[in-house]
């Protein structure tokens, strides 16, 4: 009784050298593939999100309309549905789950799209946050397949500051002795709650809190928001899974794609897709200037800032204004000839 | 063999209702009080800072010149030198140390200045971060004594977002089981290190990390900076002291001054001192817009933003450009007739 499919990957050799055996890629599709297999969109997940967390941007009358498109949402490795520390049998389970890169994720997604669906060309790749990182990777690795990209609130390479923010998240989670270096049998709830509180200050902007906009999300006070939204979200997650995805995020680097020798600017320059790159005005860990730098090195890209005070969560589907702004841009991009 | 003096406060009734008995206020003076007792400046400390951490802004040829002024640096309650969880005997020691407000701090500093030194009027009050909060309080509580203030990188009331940032710091520190709800005999080093890593992303701006400016501070890599600067700083501190000052910070509210009934705008409006209010352009927890709001309600204040990418630490004395900018403004303010 699950709402997703599993694509059996078999043995996956990872960029960092280890092998995932009997690997699984969980995914869901929205809408049907047409006869020409020309209406597919790939929309990867984000840090700890699962496919259903992407559904706010999919719907009738929206850019990502299942009546017109086949929207494929692949779950990131480590997110608890695809192969993850929490669902991999020994000996590669829990604290021994291997390091997975953005490149690895996109590589297995490409297998899904080509082997399972026989698709040769997509309409678009889009994604939020770590999903944006995967979007850049799709465009670089499979230029002939990806004519359009719309990465939002993410980056091609994780900045040093973003890395430091994640160090804080990781340190809070792993400070809990119950974490037991990953060998817990009971979840390290104190660490998960601590990580949630650390995350809370980063996820939304200073102005969001100043204006008490959490009340628009149904929370009756600041503490209600910290417990109800933030702790509630991370308490559902597996600590090792979170750390696997955190490692993927911290080491996100488009320049590390084989053939580019760490040269990020050359990698950005090799993206042929028509791109609208959309940071949020007050995103505290993916600030607009980082995307501005990227766009300067991309031959076919526009920087379009999502205005307002919702910070990183401008791309999280939590308010209709930002959702419409993103959806309108997706419509515009999809309407363009490429 | 200490470089500071102790002012014996005796019994101090605190704003929240508890009493500090046999309380101590540690302070240091730089320069001599003149015969007219008219050349004193008060320069309070900041979160976990001690008097010597303020010395970068004091010196020959600077605005705060010991040859001309008597600069009094009082240590905040809870900072390990003034009465603190770490130096108070039972039963009010460690986890039982009472809650102390900004108002309490300034109240005992006022006793030092008037009872110990017999000063009736100061030249100036200035301070960084929590020191800025104490600066506003001085101006409101003792308007006849304080003709000029220059609060930098701080605020009159702790904003909700700032509160949330501190929730993350606190959660990381207290997630360590070794903290034992404050009854540790050995320091909770894992929690202290975790808190340091959380703090690291907040203390300096995104652009500071992008430009690797920690190399200008003598650190050879990002990890070297995280361990050497951040963990090194907090490992020296006592966890209960840090939590005492954190509580003071989280509950900073000029509007809670007796007589103002929580009305922050009325409190700001009652500040008579000539003020230059100086946020740092990229301060992540005291953003300039918060000070802009305050200045709109202060009758005699100018907002002057410290430009650049050093974030909160623009006010920490770690780079000569920002130090000169602050020092120049102090000189300008001190030169003005009031």
């Amino acid at each position: 009784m699950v709402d997703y499919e599993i694509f059996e990957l078999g043995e996956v050799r990872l960029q960092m050298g280890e092998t995932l055996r009997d690997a699984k890629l969980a995914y869901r599709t929205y809408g049907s593939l047409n006869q020409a297999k020309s209406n597919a969109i790939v929309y990867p997940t984000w840090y700890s999100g699962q496919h259903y967390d992407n559904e706010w941007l999919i719907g009738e009358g929206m850019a990502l309309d299942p009546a017109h498109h086949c929207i494929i949402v692949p779950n990131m490795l480590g997110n608890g549905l695809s192969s993850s520390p929490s669902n991999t049998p020994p000996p590669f389970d829990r604290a021994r789950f291997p390091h997975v890169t953005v490149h690895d994720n996109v590589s297995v997604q490409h297998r899904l799209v080509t082997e399972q669906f026989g698709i040769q060309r997509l309409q678009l790749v889009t994604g939020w946050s770590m999903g944006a990182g995967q979007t850049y990777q799709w465009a670089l690795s499979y230029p002939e397949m990806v004519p359009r990209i719309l990465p939002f609130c993410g980056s091609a390479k994780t900045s040093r500051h973003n890395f430091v923010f994640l160090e804080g998240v990781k340190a809070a989670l792993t400070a809990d002795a119950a974490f037991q270096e990953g060998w817990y049998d009971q979840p390290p709830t104190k660490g998960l709650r601590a990580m949630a509180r650390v995350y809370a200050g980063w996820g939304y902007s200073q102005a969001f809190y100043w204006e008490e906009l959490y009340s628009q999300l149904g929370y009756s006070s600041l503490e209600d928001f910290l417990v109800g939204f933030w702790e509630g979200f991370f308490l559902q997650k597996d600590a090792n899974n979170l750390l696997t995805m955190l490692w993927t995020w911290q080491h996100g680097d488009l320049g590390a794609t084989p053939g580019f020798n760490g040269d990020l600017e050359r990698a950005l320059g090799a993206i042929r897709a028509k791109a609208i790159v959309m940071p949020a005005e007050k995103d505290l860990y993916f600030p607009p200037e980082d995307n501005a730098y990227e766009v300067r090195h991309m031959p076919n890209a526009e920087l379009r800032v999502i205005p307002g005070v919702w910070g990183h969560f401008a791309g999280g589907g939590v308010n209709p204004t930002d959702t419409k702004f993103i959806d309108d841009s997706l419509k515009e991009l999809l309407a363009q000839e490429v």
Side-chain angles (χ1 to χ4, degrees), chain A residues 140-279:
Chain A
L140 180 65
S141 296
Y142 309 106
E144 74 291 349
M145 283 188 74
V146 183
R148 302 176 188 88
I149 58 171
L150 195 148
F152 52 105
C153 308
S155 67
K157 177 176 177 171
T158 301
S159 74
R160 283 182 204 92
H161 178 266
N162 196 325
F163 185 96
V164 172
F165 143 58
L166 293 168
E167 279 298 294
V169 169
K170 184 172 70 179
L173 173 55
T174 59
D176 184 353
F179 174 64
Q180 297 185 71
E181 309 304 316
W183 301 111
Y184 51 85
D185 289 315
Q186 297 302 317
T189 55
K190 201 166 191 175
L192 290 163
R193 289 180 191 268
M195 145 180 196
R197 286 196 180 238
V198 172
Y199 224 114
W202 292 110
Y204 292 88
S205 78
Q206 299 95 339
F208 169 89
Y209 285 103
W210 185 278
E211 298 175 23
E212 299 177 83
L213 293 182
Y214 42 82
S215 67
Q216 291 185 21
L217 302 177
Y219 297 95
S220 51
S221 69
L222 181 53
E223 182 64 13
D224 191 50
F225 180 59
L226 294 178
V227 177
F229 182 94
W230 287 103
E231 296 188 6
F233 183 79
F234 284 112
L235 276 175
Q236 302 168 42
K237 306 296 177 184
D238 175 80
N240 285 317
N241 290 357
L242 290 168
L243 291 169
T244 289
M245 290 180 283
L246 191 145
W247 191 97
T248 303
W249 185 349
Q250 284 192 311
H251 295 84
D253 182 3
L254 196 71
T257 303
F260 289 89
N261 257 324
D263 188 340
L264 176 63
E265 295 181 4
R266 193 158 67 82
L268 289 166
I271 292 179
R272 284 194 247 151
K274 181 150 187 59
I276 303 179
V277 176
M278 296 182 66

Side-chain angles (χ1 to χ4, degrees), chain A residues 127-148:
Chain A
W128 178 46
S129 198
M130 287 185 79
Q134 295 165 73
T135 298
Y136 287 97
Q137 189 66 60
W138 261 101
L140 180 65
S141 296
Y142 309 106
E144 74 291 349
M145 283 188 74
V146 183
R148 302 176 188 88

